[in-house]
Amino acid sequence: MNASPSQPRPAEWTETQALLPSVERDLPAGRHQFHKEQLMAQIHEDLRTDRTAARPALAPRRRNPFLRRAILLPAMACALAGAVVAGVALSGGNGGGGRTAVATGPALTTQVGAVDAKGAPQLLDRISLAAAEVSGPAPHAGQFVYIASKVASTYPKTVDDKTTVVSQELHSRQVWNSLDGKDGWLIEAGETSDKGMTLSSDTPLNSAYDALVKLPTDPAVLLQRIYRDSDAVRDPEVPRDQAAFVAIGDLLNESYPPADLTAALYKAAAKIPGVVAVDDAVDAVGRHGVAIARQNDTAGERTEWIFDKKTLEFLGERNVVVKKVADSPFKVGTVTFTSAITQRAVVDASKQLPGRAG
């Protein structure tokens, strides 16, 4: 899992969209309930700019590509779940102004893959064994974990009292986090100023490397920790097992765990009720793979972790609407969030790119 995947070809996103029907679909109250109903800053900007009759857009149950890593899970602050920032400070340039807009197009949709509940434990066991064989990072004090990815989200947009569902153009996201989690930097079009955004916190990021190495690697003990800490911050509308699954998935997406912890996370996930295998799933840059997934029946949305079919390397994640939910603007098949990890590395300084001097 920790090996860096090959760089994506931008054309693959366009290619993938062309293969998928762009018809409008019905919304779920997505897995983004976990982090509350938050619209991206870019969505707010679009609405202020584009609409002439001001009726607020329907707030989608979705996660902001920045907030998914920056919204707080305080009880897990020194240990677990998605990378969080207790306080966020804008830096570089105009304090959030001068943002680069992310273009949008028709809602991204896909065919919902078939699931295999019985095959999930065996697949996760194979994924765990493959992850354990990959050499993990060996960073030293003062270094930063660098994660590069391609991401896009789907959301409802209201102009002149008419609401349509649109998807962002696939765009790059780069995050640097210090090993202790006290310093970080984010560059993502539509989410930061042109020069980026400082991530700062009084407590370490819960996916900081120094915190990850202290987590238990016994799968049963690790899962107990995940449940305990996610229970402390869980939205009541999110089922307990789903919250635990989401917490593990956030670690897989934007951190760089040691190989033994990565393997343990997969084994822990196999113990969560409702986890299934999916025969085919596509990441943000069009790479097909198998998936481990769990459906939030309340939200009508399935979260899928996507793996290479041959190497079982973690490729990315997506959220797909699989069940119609009342009062939703999305239809079954809508991809509400998609990501593809393109590189993980350890670098010597914030904003330094792998292979380059700081």
Side-chain angles (χ1 to χ4, degrees), residues 305-351:
W305 308 337
I306 305 169
F307 301 86
D308 184 272
K309 291 182 179 180
K310 293 182 179 180
T311 66
L312 299 179
E313 175 187 13
F314 180 79
L315 299 178
E317 180 187 38
R318 71 176 183 178
N319 297 320
V320 180
V321 179
V322 295
K323 185 178 75 171
K324 183 177 179 180
V325 174
D327 301 322
S328 286
F330 299 160
K331 290 186 177 180
V332 171
T334 301
V335 179
T336 59
F337 177 78
T338 182
S339 71
I341 301 298
T342 59
Q343 191 171 20
R344 298 181 198 263
V346 175
V347 296
D348 292 329
S350 179
K351 293 177 277 185

Side-chain angles (χ1 to χ4, degrees), residues 45-61:
E45 289 179 5
D46 285 344
L47 291 172
R48 284 196 298 268
T49 302
D50 296 339
R51 70 190 179 196
T52 56
R55 185 181 77 164
L58 297 175
R61 305 262 182 165

Side-chain angles (χ1 to χ4, degrees), residues 219-220 222-223 226 248 263-272:
L222 179 60
L223 187 58
I226 291 167
I248 294 174
L265 286 167
Y266 291 131
K267 290 183 178 180
K271 299 177 181 294
I272 298 176

